Amino acid sequence: MALEHKVRGVDHAAFPTFDPAATVRFYRDVLGFPVVHSICAAGWGPEDHPDFIHFFFDIGNDDRIAFFYYFGLEPQHAHGRGDVYAGFGPEVPEFFVRSRHLAIHVEDDADLLEYRRRLDESEWPVEMQIRHETIESIYTHDPNGYMVEFTRAMRPVTPQEDLDANLTIDALLDVVGAPEPSFGKLLARKAELIVERAAAWELEQSR
């Protein structure tokens, strides 16, 4: 039995920044996300905790992206790849570095192109525009090195695809719980689950 879904989306996602001025330029002045809240904290927490400001941008749908700027705190690493929080050496594959990102939904192709225009006219132009299975996305890095994606749906996701996603995850959990997981084993286990569950699906459809 599935648990009741009680949440209503993301309240906010929060990140550190060492360049609040550029962060405000990027999110407020280039993208047009209004500042909606800030917290000024002095003498907060233990004695070694620096004073800080925590500020929020509205990204639509009552969701927000927020940043912490700690006064007097120096950048944490000198790596060219990665962000202000986590640096990656040359041995880390680029696909792994890029897997850490924030994706923001827009309504349609016109909105996606508008954000492309805003970014391309700024200090942070679009680095990639890609069509995935059901979405089209543009990508850039913000002033802190965080990868940001804007994405729009090319078509609705069907109930059959939701069913397929759950099958895939069930197969994945079985495979990674056994020695030497692989993509081939995932597909084989998924095929087994389809066979195992086919009778139950047919009975449900007949009702």
Side-chain angles (χ1 to χ4, degrees):
M1 178 186 238
L3 296 173
E4 184 180 358
H5 198 334
K6 304 288 285 185
V7 301
R8 293 294 177 266
V10 175
D11 184 88
H12 67 275
F15 307 90
T17 179
F18 291 98
D19 192 345
T23 298
V24 170
R25 287 203 312 276
F26 179 81
Y27 287 99
R28 185 191 68 185
D29 302 337
V30 172
L31 297 178
F33 299 164
V35 175
V36 291
H37 186 54
S38 67
I39 299 170
C40 296
W44 186 90
E47 289 184 6
D48 62 349
H49 199 293
D51 298 336
F52 67 92
I53 181 169
H54 190 25
F55 54 102
F56 299 73
F57 300 94
D58 175 12
I59 59 172
N61 200 37
D62 292 326
D63 303 331
R64 297 169 293 176
I65 184 170
F67 293 88
F68 288 95
Y69 175 67
Y70 298 98
F71 290 92
L73 184 65
E74 294 299 317
Q76 297 300 291
H77 64 82
H79 287 290
R81 300 165 75 225
D83 53 55
V84 298
Y85 177 75
F88 298 94
E91 75 284 357
V92 180
E94 191 66 25
F95 65 80
F96 185 86
V97 176
R98 289 180 172 178
S99 68
R100 293 160 40 96
H101 66 275
L102 173 72
I104 299 173
H105 176 74
V106 298
E107 191 64 32
D108 53 30
D109 184 55
D111 289 344
L112 189 70
L113 291 176
E114 170 59 18
Y115 282 104
R116 166 135 210 169
R117 181 192 67 77
R118 295 181 192 183
L119 288 166
D120 284 345
E121 293 178 357
S122 77
E123 301 168 61
W124 304 277
V126 169
E127 300 165 22
M128 297 183 291
Q129 182 162 350
I130 300 173
R131 288 192 170 194
H132 305 281
E133 194 171 75
T134 61
I135 60 174
E136 182 175 17
S137 300
I138 58 175
Y139 299 84
T140 193
H141 286 83
D142 85 346
N144 308 291
Y146 303 124
M147 178 167 271
V148 180
E149 171 186 0
F150 287 83
T151 185
R152 61 103 180 177
M154 294 190 293
R155 62 168 177 80
V157 175
T158 66
Q160 292 81 3
E161 287 171 310
D162 290 340
L163 176 61
D164 179 76
N166 280 277
L167 267 172
T168 301
I169 295 304
D170 288 346
L172 175 67
L173 296 181
D174 289 343
V175 167
V176 297
E180 299 181 5
S182 70
F183 190 70
K185 289 180 180 179
L186 167 67
L187 295 181
R189 180 57 183 150
K190 185 175 173 181
E192 292 172 354
L193 291 177
I194 291 172
V195 172
E196 291 172 11
R197 299 177 185 181
W201 293 336
E202 289 176 4
L203 179 60
E204 185 175 335
Q205 289 296 318
S206 67
R207 292 175 179 168

